[in-house]
Amino acid sequence: MNRSSRATKASSSSGLSISSGSAADLTSSSQAKGAFSNHSSFSDPYRTLYLTRAFAFDQMDIQSALDQMITLCSLTPQRVYKTSYYRKQTKNHWARDDPAFAILEIAFLAVASVAYCVAFKQPGIVVSSIRFAVQQIVVFWFLGGVLISTIGRAVANAYLCHGSAG
């Protein structure tokens, strides 16, 4: 593989096409893809791909997600970092490809919510179980996660970026 084909292959994986090398092609390609978009954000093509994978259970790596959960609860959680680091080296991204970890978390939260309502003998067990599960999943898990990650991103951008005065 020569140098120009490697550059074309690398640029095609990042979403930019610079096969001809002209500025007009780069500009039109950038405008079509959303010029100057932040690569760390979760843009629309990735979001739709992630959400479509959330309903394809045969494509999820459930065993790997369960192993990660068990390892995070064990005495050696640094093993999860090592596997994430190996994924970064081989696939060049830190995030998991499939939403199996998130789907398992949601399922465990739903089971724990039902167990809580049964254990504490809530009146109207079915309705209270559903209400409590929705509250735990939507309010605390999803919205709490969005809030914490937004604050973390703002702090990281303010103090950890290159050239910051901090």
Side-chain angles (χ1 to χ4, degrees):
M1 184 181 284
N2 62 17
R3 188 177 193 157
S4 64
S5 65
R6 271 187 265 148
T8 304
K9 184 176 181 178
S11 66
S12 67
S13 67
S14 68
L16 295 174
S17 66
I18 38 181
S19 57
S20 65
S22 71
D25 290 337
L26 182 60
T27 305
S28 64
S29 162
S30 298
Q31 289 171 350
K33 299 285 186 183
F36 307 112
S37 65
N38 188 355
H39 290 288
S40 66
S41 69
F42 207 47
S43 62
D44 286 335
Y46 297 112
R47 185 180 306 129
T48 55
L49 179 64
Y50 194 79
L51 290 176
T52 12
R53 287 183 179 177
F55 299 106
F57 294 107
D58 56 335
Q59 298 294 319
M60 288 188 205
D61 193 4
I62 303 285
Q63 184 64 40
S64 173
L66 280 172
D67 288 343
Q68 279 187 346
M69 287 180 172
I70 292 169
T71 304
L72 285 171
C73 294
S74 72
L75 297 175
T76 57
Q78 64 268 19
R79 281 186 13 209
V80 173
Y81 170 76
K82 284 184 181 181
T83 58
S84 299
Y85 180 75
Y86 295 146
R87 185 182 311 111
K88 171 67 175 158
Q89 297 299 315
T90 56
K91 294 184 176 184
N92 198 23
H93 59 87
W94 288 101
R96 289 180 56 91
D97 291 25
D98 63 274
F101 197 92
I103 297 296
L104 285 173
E105 279 183 319
I106 291 170
F108 289 147
L109 277 172
V111 169
S113 298
V114 170
Y116 176 85
C117 289
V118 168
F120 290 107
K121 298 181 180 79
Q122 298 292 321
I125 192 87
V126 175
V127 174
S128 64
S129 295
I130 292 171
R131 186 173 353 126
F132 191 70
V134 167
Q135 178 189 10
Q136 294 301 311
I137 293 167
V138 173
V139 175
F140 295 119
W141 183 79
F142 184 73
L143 295 178
V146 168
L147 178 69
I148 290 170
S149 64
T150 303
I151 291 170
R153 182 177 178 169
V155 168
N157 286 338
Y159 297 109
L160 301 176
C161 288
H162 294 289
S164 66

